């Protein structure tokens, strides 16, 4: 994909969309040539995360091709080895036994052939039936940004680290034909097998139409485009980083990409280059008609379901056969200015890997941090049966809350005080409703939740909170992560992120889990029905000066039934294997 270092306003993106709406070259990312090769001398630690994945320095974006091979998890990601802005992109490579502790290897792919001489951009990994992996990726062939699809294979299959990759000379395997916009044609998916053919999707656009082109092959080398795309949607712009995978209608187990049939739905996720958000639908994949049909009633467009309603993009899932899980990674970019990134010597992190499965309702996906994260939990503090009247905020003491895992369940005696849901809001995004109401304004049932990364006197804080409204036929639950009060610093993008939570309130309870890590707050509402990730840069509430509160600004009394907060021990993060002694994976 073509990464955008910093978030643009929606209005600016609309303008950009119309500028690019002829089939000319895509140019949605900002390029800073003066910074691309500015080597990093010192790394500023103030806002660096501790247990989220990031390299020791420099720029990182998309998680490219996560996979599991011979006892090791492999993570490839877009990386600039020469600076803290986008440019000079290679496929960096790290390995882990547990998705939490990571060790770095030499880059797996870097520009070296005529078919990728100007860039090795995003792609995916496929594990073949014989257990061998293959990588599909987008190569940039010339200065005109011509995008073609290539493959790479391991040089030594007996090496569990897969240290070296070979790009065969029969590349490229997919060239855009005359009907395809060759400068908007990228990010091949994991391949799947059906009816004697392998298949992949490639993201693109045709004028204003977002497109997932479908290609078929018998041997993974000679590919042909099908007569029509797998799916396309009007006025959605360029589809980057498509992801297409099956989910079981029953239980939480993940499925191999080639599984289809009864009791199986498919999810199609796309990353919208125009809005810098992602959305997905659930539906049926007909491999005879070579078409994907979203379920009736789902919004198929910008206002559709999102994996994450915050700072989260270019996500990728993979099937983990060792645990029968489908695991999701996302890129969490910076929300400060490019000069600040250059000064601090790094930019970008990845989300905590999340297990993904189908909600029992069949209407959405659920997400939850992988269980391995819990091995980092240290000292624990608890609250129970804590009453919160209107205006109360109670501090959670006893741990260092600049890096914490917080899991809390709130309850309330009645829904009677829920405010009416204004019909005008139905036409707004949830973040607009969050921005209008906020965490400070008195309400009925809410706002209540957490004040994370808060200074002692609340000059800075990042609230993550619920607010419940009464609509015509049911209650609507809003989850917000509002960065507007997160920092006194200048030159920062501080949005109100929000999503509605499809949850049954019969038991009059709402749960919230937030992973706090210096400059990121990654939150999961109602058991993973809604996820929101925020990047924040406090100036006062850093390290031991960060505080955590539970609060309620609604007239309905809220009870903190149970709250567990753990300080987080730090994992081994991207230490080169050659510096650890020995050639075997770490034994935990």
């Amino acid at each position: 994909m073509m990464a955008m270092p910093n978030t643009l306003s929606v209005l600016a993106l609309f303008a950009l969309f119309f500028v690019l709406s002829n089939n000319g070259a895509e140019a949605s990312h900002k390029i800073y040539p003066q910074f691309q090769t500015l080597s990093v001398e010192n790394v500023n630690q103030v806002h660096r995360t501790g247990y989220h994945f990031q390299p020791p320095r420099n720029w990182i974006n998309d998680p490219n091709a996560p996979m599991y091979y011979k006892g090791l998890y492999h993570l490839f990601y877009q990386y600039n080895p020469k600076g803290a802005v986008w440019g000079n992109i290679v496929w960096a490579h790290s390995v882990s036994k547990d998705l939490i502790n990571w060790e770095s290897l030499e880059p797996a792919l870097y520009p070296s052939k005529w078919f990728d001489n100007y860039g090795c951009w995003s792609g995916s990994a496929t594990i073949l039936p014989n257990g061998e992996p293959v990588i599909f990726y987008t190569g940039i062939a010339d200065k005109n940004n011509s995008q073609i699809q290539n493959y790479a294979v391991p040089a030594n299959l007996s090496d569990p680290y897969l240290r070296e990759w070979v790009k065969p000379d029969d590349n490229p395997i997919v060239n855009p034909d005359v009907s395809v916009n060759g400068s908007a044609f990228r990010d091949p998916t994991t391949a799947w097998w059906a009816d004697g053919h392998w298949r992949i999707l490639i993201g693109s656009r045709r004028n204003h139409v977002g497109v997932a082109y479908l290609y078929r092959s018998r041997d993974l080398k000679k590919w042909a485009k099908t007569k029509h795309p797998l799916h396309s949607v009007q006025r959605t712009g360029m589809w980057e980083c498509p992801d297409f995978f099956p989910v079981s209608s029953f239980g939480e187990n993940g499925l191999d990409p080639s599984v289809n049939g009864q009791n199986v739905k498919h999810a199609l996720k796309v990353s919208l280059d125009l809005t810098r958000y992602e959305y997905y639908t659930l539906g049926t994949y007909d491999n005879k008609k070579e078409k994907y049909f979203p379920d009736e009633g789902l919004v198929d467009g910008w206002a559709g379901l999102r994996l994450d309603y915050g700072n989260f993009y270019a996500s990728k899932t993979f099937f983990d056969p060792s645990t029968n899980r489908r695991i999701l990674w996302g890129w969490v970019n910076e929300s400060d200015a490019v000069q600040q990134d250059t000064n601090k010597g790094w930019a970008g992190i990845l989300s905590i890997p999340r297990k993904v499965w189908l909600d029992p309702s069949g209407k959405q996906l659920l997400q939850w941090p992988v269980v391995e994260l819990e091995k980092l939990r240290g000292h624990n503090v608890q609250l129970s049966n804590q009453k919160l009247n209107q205006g109360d905020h109670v501090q959670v003491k006893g741990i260092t809350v600049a890096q914490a895992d917080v899991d809390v369940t709130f309850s309330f005696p009645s829904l009677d005080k829920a405010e009416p849901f204004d019909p005008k809001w139905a036409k707004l995004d949830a973040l607009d409703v969050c921005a209008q109401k906020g965490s400070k304004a008195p309400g009925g049932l809410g706002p209540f939740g957490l004040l994370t990364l808060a200074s002692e006197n609340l000059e800075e804080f990042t609230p993550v909170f619920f607010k419940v409204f009464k609509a015509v036929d049911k209650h609507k639950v809003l989850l917000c992560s509002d960065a507007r009060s997160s920092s006194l610093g200048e030159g920062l993008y501080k949005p109100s992120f929000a999503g509605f939570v499809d949850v049954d309130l019969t038991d009059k309870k709402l749960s919230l889990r937030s992973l706090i890590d210096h400059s990121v707050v990654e939150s999961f509402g109602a058991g993973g029905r809604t996820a929101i990730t925020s990047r924040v840069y406090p100036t006062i509430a850093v390290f031991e000066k960060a505080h955590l509160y539970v609060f309620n600004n609604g007239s309905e009394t809220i009870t903190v039934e149970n709250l567990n907060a753990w300080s987080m021990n730090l994992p081994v993060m991207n230490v080169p294997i050659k510096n650890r002694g020995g050639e075997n994976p770490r034994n935990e």
Side-chain angles (χ1 to χ4, degrees):
M1 64 161 280
M2 300 167 81
M4 182 182 295
N6 295 288
T7 307
L8 297 177
S9 70
V10 173
L11 288 177
L13 285 164
F14 271 117
L16 180 63
F17 175 61
F18 289 108
V19 168
L20 299 175
S21 60
N22 57 5
N23 276 333
E26 296 288 326
S28 66
H29 64 295
K30 290 185 178 180
I31 296 178
Y32 302 90
Q34 70 273 32
F35 298 131
Q36 283 187 8
T37 57
L38 186 63
S39 61
V40 173
E41 301 297 332
N42 298 298
V43 175
N44 190 317
Q45 300 291 334
V46 173
H47 294 123
R48 275 187 65 82
T49 62
Y51 61 93
H52 283 73
F53 184 94
Q54 65 179 133
R57 61 188 65 222
N58 298 329
W59 168 276
I60 178 179
N61 59 283
D62 309 5
N64 283 320
M67 66 178 180
Y68 183 83
Y69 181 75
K70 290 191 174 182
L72 288 172
Y73 294 101
H74 291 256
L75 178 63
F76 306 90
Y77 49 96
Q78 301 272 277
Y79 176 66
N80 179 0
K82 298 181 179 181
V85 301
W86 186 90
N88 315 299
I89 294 298
V90 302
W91 276 48
H93 183 191
S94 295
V95 295
S96 172
K97 288 191 67 177
D98 60 6
L99 292 168
I100 301 300
N101 296 282
W102 292 92
E103 299 178 87
S104 63
L105 299 169
E106 292 298 311
L109 301 177
Y110 49 87
S112 63
K113 301 275 191 172
W114 72 264
F115 47 78
D116 65 11
N117 198 40
Y118 288 84
C120 295
W121 287 4
S122 295
S124 302
T126 299
I127 304 296
L128 304 182
N130 63 4
E132 297 179 6
V134 58
I135 282 173
F136 300 108
Y137 71 99
T138 297
I140 309 303
D142 55 41
K143 293 181 179 179
N144 296 323
N145 194 27
S146 299
Q147 298 169 21
I148 53 181
Q149 314 312 316
N150 306 310
Y151 79 107
V153 294
N156 180 7
L157 288 168
S158 65
D159 176 16
Y161 293 101
L162 300 174
R163 290 175 174 85
E164 184 180 354
W165 290 78
V166 176
K167 306 175 208 173
D169 289 335
D170 56 358
N171 276 303
I173 53 174
V174 177
N175 280 292
D177 61 31
V178 294
S179 68
V180 172
N181 179 356
S183 67
F185 183 66
R186 51 188 178 267
D187 309 337
T189 64
T190 296
W192 72 95
W193 177 264
D195 295 334
H197 286 87
W198 289 100
R199 291 161 170 82
I200 58 171
L201 298 181
I202 299 171
S204 188
R205 70 166 181 84
R206 257 184 339 228
N207 295 319
H208 306 319
V209 180
V211 179
Y213 286 116
L214 179 63
Y215 286 79
R216 299 193 309 176
S217 173
R218 291 188 182 275
D219 62 2
L220 295 170
K221 297 180 180 181
K222 296 179 181 179
W223 293 83
K225 183 160 64 75
T226 57
K227 292 181 179 180
H228 47 71
L230 180 82
H231 195 56
S232 61
V233 178
Q234 295 282 340
R235 303 192 67 78
T236 51
M238 175 66 196
W239 283 4
E240 294 190 304
C241 302
D243 199 8
F244 187 61
F245 55 90
V247 289
S248 173
S249 297
F250 302 99
E252 298 182 11
N253 282 348
L255 298 175
D256 179 90
S258 299
V259 172
N260 199 3
Q262 289 187 336
N263 301 323
V264 173
K265 283 181 177 285
H266 272 75
L268 175 61
K269 185 277 307 183
V270 295
S271 303
L272 298 182
D273 189 35
L274 177 57
T275 65
R276 310 310 289 174
Y277 290 127
E278 303 187 311
Y279 82 92
Y280 74 91
T281 54
L282 296 165
T284 302
Y285 167 50
D286 189 327
N287 55 277
K288 303 293 185 184
K289 295 181 179 179
E290 303 280 26
K291 291 289 287 184
Y292 166 74
F293 301 95
D295 286 348
E296 186 176 355
L298 289 182
V299 176
D300 192 2
W302 296 359
L305 294 167
R306 296 181 192 170
L307 293 172
D308 192 295
Y309 289 81
N311 191 332
F312 186 92
Y313 194 72
S315 66
K316 182 74 65 176
T317 67
F318 75 103
F319 174 62
D320 176 10
S322 69
T323 58
N324 287 322
R325 294 177 293 182
R326 180 156 291 275
I327 296 174
L328 167 72
W329 288 91
W331 170 43
V332 184
N333 72 339
E334 303 300 315
S335 293
D336 56 4
V338 65
Q339 183 64 62
Q340 292 171 305
D341 294 343
T342 303
N343 292 343
K344 69 191 183 192
W346 55 272
I349 65 173
L350 298 186
S351 67
I352 292 298
R354 307 171 182 180
K355 177 180 173 180
V356 179
W357 70 100
L358 186 66
D359 182 79
S361 70
K363 295 180 180 179
Q364 69 173 101
L365 296 174
L366 300 179
Q367 303 168 68
W368 201 248
V370 293
V371 68
E372 289 89 338
L373 181 68
E374 296 174 14
K375 71 189 327 184
L376 296 180
R377 288 173 171 174
H379 184 61
N380 171 245
V381 295
Q382 297 179 328
L383 287 179
S384 60
N385 297 316
Q386 173 72 55
K387 299 291 185 183
L388 297 175
N389 296 314
Q390 187 168 19
D392 285 348
H393 61 279
V394 175
Q395 186 173 357
V396 179
K397 299 180 180 180
I399 64 168
T400 302
V401 294
Q403 290 180 304
D405 182 351
V406 185
D407 200 345
V408 57
T409 298
F410 300 98
S411 65
F412 32 90
S414 170
L415 295 166
D416 293 344
K417 293 184 180 180
E419 300 167 60
F421 185 79
D422 190 334
K424 296 178 183 178
W425 294 342
K427 297 180 180 180
L428 299 178
D429 213 327
L431 61 86
D432 297 311
V433 181
C434 177
Q436 286 188 26
K437 304 304 289 186
S439 64
K440 300 177 183 178
L445 185 46
F448 61 86
L450 301 173
L451 303 180
T452 71
L453 295 174
S455 58
E456 185 175 8
N457 298 318
L458 298 183
E459 300 97 334
E460 296 179 332
F461 62 94
T462 300
V464 185
F465 62 93
F466 292 107
K467 193 171 180 65
V468 182
F469 299 94
K470 173 62 177 175
V472 175
D473 56 348
K474 63 176 183 178
H475 287 85
K476 291 182 74 72
V477 178
L478 184 71
L479 176 63
C480 298
S481 183
D482 192 347
R484 290 179 296 176
S485 55
S486 62
S487 177
L488 298 178
E490 297 181 353
L492 304 175
Y493 175 59
K494 299 187 292 185
S496 301
F497 287 133
F500 290 108
V501 188
D502 187 2
V503 60
D504 184 358
L505 294 178
T506 301
D507 61 358
K508 301 181 182 62
K509 294 182 181 181
L510 284 168
S511 65
L512 176 64
R513 184 177 179 188
S514 288
L515 306 176
I516 305 163
D517 196 0
H518 288 311
S519 64
V520 61
V521 182
E522 195 172 350
S523 299
F524 303 84
R529 285 173 172 79
T530 300
I532 305 177
T533 301
S534 290
R535 293 304 305 275
V536 294
Y537 308 93
T539 61
I540 303 173
V542 297
F543 300 123
E544 71 281 355
K545 293 183 180 179
H547 300 265
L548 174 68
Y549 301 89
V550 288
F551 81 99
N552 175 31
N553 282 328
S555 58
E556 181 64 81
T557 297
I558 301 298
T559 299
V560 179
E561 284 204 350
N562 295 287
L563 180 146
N564 281 280
W566 294 268
S567 60
M568 297 298 280
N569 298 316
L570 299 187
V572 173
M573 188 63 70
N574 277 317
V575 174
I577 287 177
K578 64 184 179 182
N579 291 340
R580 294 191 57 82
E583 293 293 311
N584 294 319
R586 295 180 66 238
N587 293 314
E588 296 298 332

